[in-house]
Amino acid sequence: MQGLAGFGFPVEEAVLAADAVVDLVHDGAAQIARLRDPGDPSRPSPSVAAALEHYSPGVRAAVERIIYAPGEHLARKLGLVLDGIAARRTAR
């Protein structure tokens, strides 16, 4: 947070940015644990498999990419948030 403040972020925004990143990583780790079937990690969990049946083909394919590469998905999502934080810094 001090680093963000050093880049010109007001302290409250620095705390908000850091909190958003921590929340995203924590939530992503928790979701990764729920995506796969504990009895057969090569398959989606029963609740995820049931939800997939309600999605359109395009949405289903995107969600399946998350299920089978959750770490990559989390990294992409984190990159998006960090890009937004960096853009806000550049706009200052």
Side-chain angles (χ1 to χ4, degrees):
M1 290 176 267
Q2 288 177 332
L4 290 171
F7 283 127
F9 282 85
V11 172
E12 287 202 16
E13 283 193 20
V15 170
L16 181 65
D19 184 51
V21 169
V22 169
D23 284 351
L24 180 67
V25 171
H26 180 269
D27 181 62
Q31 284 185 3
I32 287 171
R34 291 188 303 264
L35 290 174
R36 302 281 182 88
D37 185 334
D40 182 0
S42 69
R43 301 171 50 100
S45 69
S47 61
V48 170
L52 285 173
E53 294 188 21
H54 299 286
Y55 296 142
S56 67
V59 171
R60 181 183 176 127
V63 172
E64 286 175 336
R65 282 191 294 276
I66 295 168
I67 293 167
Y68 294 109
E72 179 183 313
H73 173 72
L74 179 57
R76 288 179 54 230
K77 191 166 30 172
L78 182 58
L80 183 71
V81 170
L82 292 174
D83 287 348
I85 293 168
R88 182 166 280 200
R89 174 186 169 238
T90 303
R92 295 198 178 283

